[in-house]
Amino acid sequence: MRIGTRGSLLATTQAQGVADQLTEAGHPAELVIISTAGDTSTAPVAQIGVGVFTTAIRLALREGECDVAIHSYKDLPTAPEDGIAMGAVPPRVDSRDALVSRDNLVLGELPPGSVIGTSSPRRAAQLRALGLGLEIRPLRGNLDSRLGKVASGELDAVVVARAGLVRIGRADVVTEALDPLVMLSAPAQGALAVECRSDDAELVRILAELDDPSTRAAVDAERAVLAALEAGCTAPVGALAEVVDSIDEDGRIFAELSLRAVVAAEDGSEVIRASVVGPVDQAAQLGKGLAAELLELGAAALVPKGP
């Protein structure tokens, strides 16, 4: 089984984990490295466009160069792709953003004027909204190069996805895992998307063994918020859903989906938050409903349109 993936350390580590699971289940798998536009450009992702890390891999899947495609789910456009099935959404790693800073300073200890690197308008907007007087600087490159800019003193800190550091065995460099109340993560952050061609029924069946229903429901709800806002994956929108235990009037425990979202002006001047709790099997509807509430609160003026 040929698994298509980007060639970065993080991407290959993620893909190899899936390959190992498939191999252990009796389906030998190997990686096929595919170069994407995001790997060959140093421009900010918001400039290059949505799908910068995923289009080439999906094309290779369509053309039979690989049998399975693996993406960081948050990089995928929200619009469905004809002919491609979401075979599995494996269990999610920590969805939080992480601060990696000089001298092990937590966010509140960084003095005004500290230079923070991030590739994400969402992170930049929420950092500015905190009013800490930080200087936000655009940042591209793999995780090692980003961490190196802190080690060299070029930057005082960077904010990256904690899941990526966990997957490459570098969780020890995290100075602070940022609480969602401080910074709400990107929709689907920490989750993987495992795709195959929709007409390959046997492979759809095999990949389903890797699926985690709770993670899939959470991601469906988060991405439904993004889609209903008509925002791209680089928009200043955060969303996080979690399956939680609730108790009914008779004292019986049942599962519900708790979803919260934030939309922030890119300059940090305005932040709109909303939340909802509802049935797990209505994840997408919960996301759409929460997006409608955000729009009623004025989110449309803060969100650049995108696929």
Side-chain angles (χ1 to χ4, degrees):
M1 193 180 297
R2 299 163 301 162
I3 298 179
T5 176
R6 296 172 60 202
S8 70
L9 174 61
L10 175 57
T12 55
T13 301
Q14 291 175 165
Q16 190 60 54
V18 174
D20 291 345
Q21 285 183 278
L22 288 168
T23 300
E24 290 170 8
H27 313 292
E30 63 181 13
L31 303 189
V32 176
I33 306 303
I34 298 165
S35 178
T36 75
D39 300 312
T40 57
S41 173
T42 58
V45 174
Q47 289 181 16
I48 308 171
V50 174
V52 65
F53 297 120
T54 59
T55 301
I57 298 174
R58 281 178 156 178
L59 180 61
L61 180 62
R62 286 182 178 282
E63 295 185 346
E65 296 174 25
C66 60
D67 308 300
V68 176
I70 296 182
H71 316 275
S72 290
Y73 207 152
K74 68 183 178 67
D75 292 336
L76 285 175
T78 53
E81 187 83 2
D82 289 341
I84 293 181
M86 185 60 65
V89 183
R92 184 186 223 163
V93 179
D94 193 338
S95 66
R96 290 175 295 177
D97 287 300
L99 180 78
V100 181
S101 71
R102 62 174 177 83
D103 304 324
N104 289 318
L105 297 175
V106 299
L107 189 59
E109 294 173 335
L110 288 168
S114 295
V115 182
I116 313 296
T118 174
S119 60
S120 162
R122 171 191 58 82
R123 291 176 182 138
Q126 292 186 75
L127 284 170
R128 292 186 180 107
L130 294 173
L132 299 176
L134 305 172
E135 179 186 338
I136 312 301
R137 187 171 297 175
L139 180 69
R140 280 293 311 279
N142 60 36
L143 277 174
D144 277 337
S145 68
R146 298 184 192 198
L147 298 178
K149 291 182 185 297
V150 177
S152 70
E154 182 178 341
L155 297 173
D156 294 304
V158 294
V159 179
V160 297
R162 188 175 184 278
L165 295 173
V166 169
R167 287 192 171 111
I168 66 171
R170 297 296 307 277
D172 59 298
V173 303
V174 174
T175 308
E176 181 182 9
L178 298 174
D179 190 286
L181 293 173
V182 174
M183 181 173 294
L184 203 56
S185 53
Q189 186 160 300
L192 298 181
V194 183
E195 296 181 326
C196 65
R197 290 180 292 278
S198 55
D199 60 2
D200 191 337
E202 177 62 12
L203 191 48
V204 169
R205 183 193 66 77
I206 290 170
L207 294 179
E209 299 171 8
L210 306 179
D211 195 65
D212 180 60
S214 293
T215 298
R216 185 182 282 257
V219 167
D220 284 349
E222 293 162 15
R223 283 171 59 83
V225 173
L226 199 61
L229 291 173
E230 298 182 8
C233 63
T234 60
V237 176
L240 178 63
E242 300 168 286
V243 176
V244 297
D245 287 335
S246 296
I247 301 177
D248 66 16
E249 295 178 353
D250 298 320
R252 291 173 296 197
I253 297 175
F254 66 101
E256 284 192 298
L257 196 65
S258 171
L259 172 64
R260 48 187 156 166
V262 62
V263 179
E266 290 193 10
D267 64 0
S269 60
E270 186 175 359
V271 178
I272 300 173
R273 300 180 187 274
S275 61
V276 68
V277 177
V280 177
D281 61 1
Q282 295 180 21
Q285 294 93 315
L286 285 174
K288 291 176 185 176
L290 192 59
E293 183 177 345
L294 289 166
L295 289 170
E296 288 180 4
L297 294 171
L302 309 182
V303 180
K305 301 299 182 183

